[in-house]
Amino acid sequence: MFEQQQKCGYVALVGRPNVGKSTLLNHVLGQKISITSRKPQTTRRNLIGVDTVDANQAIYVDTPGIHQHIERELNRYMVSNATSALSDVDLLVVLIEAGKIQDGDHHVLKLLAQHDMPKFAVISKVDLIKDKTALLPQMQALHAMGLFDEIVPVSALKKDGVDSFRHHVFQRLPMRKHFFADDEVTDQPERFLVAEIVREKLMRQLGDEIPHSSTVVIESFKQNEKITEIHADIYVERDGQKRIVIGKAGARMKLIGQEARKDIEHLLDHKVMLHLWVKVRKGWTNNVGQMKHLGYD
Ligand SMILES: Nc1nc2c(ncn2[C@@H]2O[C@H](COP(=O)(O)OP(=O)(O)O)[C@@H](O)[C@H]2O)c(=O)[nH]1
Ligand SMILES: [Mg+2]
């Protein structure tokens, strides 16, 4: 492709927690790079996913959910990661769940209005609405705000509207030489993606409290021809949480390990031996020094 014909730009996916930002990114890329769960605040930091088709390259930035309930330093870290993405991109995409615009959305919309790059609204999870005419009032309300260049209804899970969304995004990209090679999908190192997979299984397997108190650090990552051997530490905040993660006779840890290993083998396309270890770091989610130590820099 001639470089002078190339289009390339950064596209931020933003919105309140749990609207489907990471799921949309994974379906745009046709590959899972960002972990997802039913629980809010699964994504903890900005993560890049690159969608290249011929002359077009959209560099998506998946972000943590934006919200106003800052309880701990970790929440502050997450929200400031997300809001930092509002400034340095070529296109802002806000996701709003099908149904109605909620208070949490209004907060995000107010922030968006302070930035003057082009903006799209994606109405997400439209599969949850049986009668599609019920979407019209929401689309009209978004239109009436006068903020958006496109309003695109999407169901990432049903693959509905995803290609149309990609197409609209490509159309808005500035003429610019590609930043990434055509086959690059993310800038994240494998170690980070592996830690995230383990964290996803924790998010999905445990109740409400522990997921938000836990994190995963890869201690070692050794690859030979036959197998990749990975040691990962799971950090929680209290001894009681550690007991729950381990489960009766180690049953829950075993399950988390099995599920994570399957996904990691798929990611690396290699046989994996995964060793998990649970450690306690009292109050780490509210301690900037400890957070830094655990990779939230
Ligand atoms: N029904 C339905 N659920 C979805 C869709 N997209 C995401 N979800 C679910 O919404 C929840 C939150 O998704 P996630 O991508 O983690 O949201 P994020 O916090 O905005 O990144 C998960 O349980 C997803 O499976 C969709 O298109 N349809
Ligand atoms: Mg997410």
Side-chain angles (χ1 to χ4, degrees):
M1 194 60 52
F2 294 117
E3 284 184 2
Q4 56 270 41
Q5 293 171 1
Q6 291 186 338
K7 293 171 98 181
C8 176
Y10 280 86
V11 184
L13 298 174
V14 300
R16 66 176 169 80
N18 222 30
V19 288
K21 300 175 292 295
S22 302
T23 306
L24 176 62
L25 177 61
N26 291 335
H27 283 84
V28 161
L29 301 174
Q31 184 178 332
K32 180 159 163 177
I33 64 155
S34 193
I35 66 169
T36 65
S37 89
R38 266 202 286 268
K39 301 192 178 73
Q41 309 193 34
T42 302
T43 308
R44 287 201 178 145
R45 63 184 114 207
N46 296 350
L47 187 142
I48 275 177
V50 189
D51 184 24
T52 307
V53 178
D54 302 328
N56 299 302
Q57 181 165 85
I59 305 167
Y60 288 92
V61 187
D62 185 21
T63 64
I66 295 174
H67 61 94
Q68 288 174 293
H69 311 285
I70 306 292
E71 286 158 0
R72 303 171 296 179
E73 284 302 328
L74 183 62
N75 302 115
R76 191 185 316 285
Y77 171 91
M78 288 158 66
V79 171
S80 78
N81 246 257
T83 49
S84 73
L86 296 174
S87 324
D88 289 331
V89 294
D90 301 288
L91 175 65
L92 284 172
V93 177
V94 62
L95 276 78
I96 293 177
E97 216 173 282
K100 80 186 235 291
I101 306 176
Q102 303 182 10
D103 288 346
D105 300 316
H106 283 296
H107 172 62
V108 180
L109 290 166
K110 255 189 240 153
L111 290 179
L112 283 196
Q114 298 166 10
H115 297 268
D116 53 7
M117 52 282 263
K119 296 175 193 72
F120 289 0
V122 162
I123 301 189
S124 64
K125 311 189 190 181
V126 296
D127 55 285
L128 295 178
I129 305 286
K130 294 282 162 287
D131 173 15
K132 298 292 183 261
T133 58
L135 294 172
L136 288 176
Q138 196 180 17
M139 293 181 80
Q140 274 157 2
L142 288 169
H143 184 74
M145 287 175 185
L147 271 179
F148 298 109
D149 299 279
E150 299 284 349
I151 298 169
V152 197
V154 161
S155 164
L157 285 193
K158 299 268 186 272
K159 272 264 170 210
D160 237 6
V162 174
D163 281 332
S164 156
F165 167 69
R166 291 169 71 205
H167 176 76
H168 285 303
V169 168
F170 283 151
Q171 281 191 326
R172 295 279 161 171
L173 298 177
M175 300 297 293
R176 195 189 278 150
K177 191 171 166 294
H178 290 180
F179 291 149
F180 287 86
D182 285 6
D183 59 352
E184 264 178 296
V185 178
T186 183
D187 63 345
Q188 297 300 321
E190 276 175 349
R191 284 173 83 111
F192 171 78
L193 298 176
V194 166
E196 286 286 277
I197 289 172
V198 177
R199 202 165 62 75
E200 178 181 80
K201 304 315 170 198
L202 283 166
M203 296 283 306
R204 291 183 178 192
Q205 298 252 354
L206 295 164
D208 278 337
E209 171 206 2
I210 296 173
H212 301 296
S213 299
S214 59
T215 194
V216 177
V217 174
I218 304 298
E219 270 307 305
S220 74
F221 191 106
K222 290 197 197 94
Q223 203 152 27
N224 65 34
E225 261 166 49
K226 286 212 184 94
I227 202 160
T228 305
E229 190 167 356
I230 301 167
H231 288 260
D233 290 340
I234 296 169
Y235 286 89
V236 292
E237 295 194 286
R238 290 200 298 275
D239 295 321
Q241 295 176 334
K242 173 173 170 172
R243 280 194 296 275
I244 295 171
V245 172
I246 293 171
K248 265 208 186 101
R252 186 166 279 123
M253 272 282 271
K254 195 170 161 199
L255 208 63
I256 290 168
Q258 282 168 347
E259 302 240 305
R261 182 176 50 79
K262 265 189 262 163
D263 282 16
I264 297 167
E265 286 184 339
H266 184 74
L267 171 80
L268 303 177
D269 195 17
H270 204 233
K271 199 166 158 49
V272 165
M273 190 160 23
L274 176 64
H275 309 272
L276 298 178
W277 199 258
V278 190
K279 295 181 175 173
V280 178
R281 280 288 174 281
K282 296 225 158 69
W284 76 267
T285 60
N286 203 23
N287 179 319
V288 175
Q290 298 251 27
M291 280 169 51
K292 237 181 189 164
H293 203 70
L294 296 172
Y296 297 91
D297 215 334

